[in-house]
Amino acid sequence: MLASPWVHADGLEALSQFMKQARSGQAQFTQVVTSPAKTGQPPRVKTSSGNFEFQRPGKFRFDYRKPFVQTLVADGQTLWLHDLDLNQVTARPQAQVLGATPAALLTAASDLDALKADFQFKSEPDKDGLQWVRATPKKPEGQIQSVLVGLRSTEKGVALSVLDVQDSLGQRSVLTFSAFELNPTLAAQTFVFRAPAGVDVIRP
């Protein structure tokens, strides 16, 4: 069995390889959001899970299954958020909301050089069997303070394992991906969103 040529890559090399290789992907995910502790109270922690799919350029889908059903779809033009409990859909122009976000790391650009307009990158030490790279937005006034990306080398290529996002308000969101499949063939309908009948559509 041949070892992956990227086993000894540092985080930056691994991310560069992932950007070149991964035209599409799908995985299961768990998201843990930790809010800053208030005086005399422990931090609030919320855990959710579901399925994730993406296709370059600019398309992705998060299907949240637990504890609440939500669907987040970027179709290349519009970012749609469907909240089943609220019976509500929010639609925002994708270009306005995705510039310096973690989703842009995955879906918007075709290579690492294209991302360097918005992010600074730095390799971090290997940990937990993963290669790590830290991405820091060049515009400090945005919501995202830093993104730590964890990547795993496999026989098929570099797979995404962790996105650890720290925002400017002190909230931390850790997305852990499992059963990551590199370059699956995804149906075109995957990234088409149609608001269900009777649902309020809000365009902020």
Side-chain angles (χ1 to χ4, degrees):
M1 186 180 295
L2 294 174
S4 164
W6 295 98
V7 167
H8 300 295
D10 67 9
L12 206 53
E13 290 172 333
L15 180 60
S16 177
Q17 193 68 6
F18 174 76
M19 294 296 297
K20 291 175 183 175
Q21 290 177 340
R23 312 315 308 163
S24 63
Q26 61 185 10
Q28 298 165 11
F29 74 87
T30 300
Q31 183 175 16
V32 179
V33 178
T34 305
S35 299
K38 294 182 179 179
T39 305
Q41 297 179 358
R44 288 177 297 150
V45 179
K46 293 189 296 183
T47 302
S48 51
S49 61
N51 299 310
F52 166 68
E53 296 160 296
F54 77 90
Q55 182 174 299
R56 291 208 184 96
K59 296 179 181 180
F60 63 85
R61 181 185 186 105
F62 284 93
D63 285 303
Y64 287 84
R65 298 299 182 208
K66 297 177 181 180
F68 306 109
V69 176
Q70 286 187 329
T71 305
L72 185 67
V73 179
D75 62 14
Q77 300 294 324
T78 303
L79 182 67
W80 304 88
L81 173 62
H82 180 204
D83 190 309
L84 199 67
D85 286 351
L86 296 178
N87 197 34
Q88 179 178 295
V89 170
T90 306
R92 290 184 172 90
Q94 194 168 316
Q96 292 180 13
V97 291
L98 287 185
T101 67
L105 284 171
L106 298 176
T107 64
S110 57
D111 58 36
L112 193 59
D113 286 342
L115 285 174
K116 288 180 178 177
D118 292 315
F119 292 92
Q120 291 180 323
F121 293 94
K122 179 189 174 191
S123 292
E124 298 283 344
D126 291 3
K127 188 177 70 171
D128 301 328
L130 304 178
Q131 288 87 44
W132 296 88
V133 61
R134 185 178 300 277
T136 306
K138 289 185 174 179
K139 294 179 180 177
E141 66 271 15
Q143 290 185 324
I144 303 300
Q145 192 175 64
S146 70
V147 182
L148 197 58
V149 185
L151 299 148
R152 185 185 304 278
S153 296
T154 73
E155 291 180 3
K156 294 183 178 179
V158 177
L160 179 70
S161 290
V162 179
L163 280 177
D164 185 342
V165 184
Q166 190 83 36
D167 76 13
S168 55
L169 299 176
Q171 180 173 276
R172 184 184 180 196
S173 177
V174 180
L175 279 157
T176 304
F177 299 93
S178 59
F180 188 92
E181 187 177 346
L182 195 65
N183 294 326
T185 301
L186 301 174
Q189 293 298 310
T190 302
F191 307 104
V192 175
F193 182 83
R194 293 185 177 90
V199 172
D200 289 331
V201 178
I202 299 169
R203 296 181 181 270

